Amino acid sequence: AQKITQTQPGMFVQEKEAVTLDCTYDTSDQSYGLFWYKQPSSGEMIFLIYQGSYDEQNATEGRYSLNFQKARKSANLVISASQLGDSAMYFCAMREATSGTYKYIFGTGTRLKVLA
Amino acid sequence: GAGVSQSPSNKVTEKGKDVELRCDPISGHTALYWYRQSLGQGLEFLIYFQGNSAPDKSGLPSDRFSAERTGGSVSTLTIQRTQQEDSAVYLCASRIKGRVAGANVLTFGAGSRLTVL
């Protein structure tokens, strides 16, 4: 069965520093997708970045990059040059694409606090 | 519409009452998902609709929960005989299907916050 693990319930980072949020996953499928979402205190879920299992390059979107290590089944999110507005809950998610299941499962989240 | 629309945004009900939560997905998005997020927790999958296929109901926590999607667009999540443990934010998401840009990405609504007294 699919599983997403985020082991850091909370993280602090100084403004303008980089931070890595950890995510490991478990799947028996060869084709899958990995996602990161941001949830500010307002509650909306904001898509940040996507990595396909066959993508050889790590995904990047502005200050966000996904450190994809397939053999280790990890998909860590790296936020560079942290800003106060980055303070939020961050969720890692996975979608399997070949098992006929199109559910997206989410980790328990990491609460990031950016310090001025 | 431009985004996923959910209503009501807030619902307070008494234990034992039935509630209906509505989701209007982005126009053209054929896949629709319901999730539940309890306070301070992650997202719990409830149900998934894809086009005219039978929905994946494997996440519904009990037979008090049901959902339908009419005309391949609007969906309603119904909770019968609500219990206090049903209190949560119910999130709806949709995505487009096919080999197009963004096809994998779930777009979420703002959620419906349910409080059962």
Side-chain angles (χ1 to χ4, degrees):
Chain A
Q2 303 179 37
K3 187 176 180 181
I4 291 283
T5 302
Q6 293 181 254
T7 58
Q8 305 155 314
M11 290 279 287
F12 290 93
V13 65
Q14 206 66 39
E15 194 179 9
K16 300 179 185 176
E17 306 257 313
V19 63
T20 297
L21 306 184
D22 294 343
C23 173
T24 59
Y25 60 92
D26 188 21
T27 180
S28 56
D29 274 17
Q30 297 301 309
S31 179
Y32 51 89
L34 297 157
F35 306 78
W36 279 91
Y37 282 83
K38 172 184 178 182
Q39 188 178 44
S41 57
S42 58
E44 63 197 294
M45 291 286 287
I46 302 167
F47 165 73
L48 295 178
I49 196 165
Y50 163 76
Q51 177 87 39
S53 59
Y54 293 120
D55 295 341
E56 294 185 352
Q57 301 285 334
N58 285 343
T60 60
E61 289 286 350
R63 295 186 297 111
Y64 304 109
S65 60
L66 198 153
N67 184 358
F68 181 45
Q69 298 189 40
K70 195 169 183 176
R72 298 178 63 180
K73 293 189 174 178
S74 75
N76 298 341
L77 177 70
V78 180
I79 305 174
S80 63
S82 297
Q83 302 172 356
L84 295 177
D86 294 334
S87 294
M89 197 76 168
Y90 288 82
F91 291 98
C92 180
M94 177 173 68
R95 174 203 163 189
E96 288 182 332
T98 56
S99 63
T101 300
Y102 294 90
K103 288 182 290 193
Y104 292 63
I105 62 161
F106 287 77
T108 52
T110 296
R111 185 171 299 281
L112 176 67
K113 176 71 174 175
V114 180
L115 305 173
Chain B
V4 178
S5 178
Q6 290 189 246
S7 61
S9 55
N10 275 288
K11 176 72 177 179
V12 180
T13 190
E14 293 180 348
K15 178 181 172 181
K17 300 278 191 186
D18 297 351
V19 296
E20 287 188 348
L21 307 176
R22 176 189 167 104
C23 173
D24 197 348
I26 293 173
S27 178
H29 281 202
T30 57
L32 185 148
Y33 298 75
W34 283 98
Y35 287 86
R36 177 169 72 174
Q37 186 175 28
S38 300
L39 187 63
Q41 302 298 310
L43 277 69
E44 175 190 5
F45 168 78
L46 297 178
I47 189 168
Y48 155 61
F49 295 90
Q50 174 56 64
N52 295 321
S53 303
D56 180 340
K57 304 178 182 180
S58 60
L60 294 178
S62 77
D63 59 7
R64 296 187 295 105
F65 288 73
S66 63
E68 63 176 20
R69 188 178 185 191
T70 54
S73 179
V74 172
S75 176
T76 302
L77 177 69
T78 300
I79 309 172
Q80 295 179 311
R81 305 180 302 283
T82 52
Q83 304 293 314
Q84 288 183 331
E85 60 262 30
D86 298 335
S87 295
V89 176
Y90 290 82
L91 291 163
C92 177
S94 69
R95 68 174 176 86
I96 199 165
K97 190 175 184 290
R99 294 183 182 275
V100 296
N104 282 301
V105 176
L106 291 182
T107 301
F108 284 84
S112 291
R113 181 178 297 277
L114 174 65
T115 302
V116 182
L117 302 176

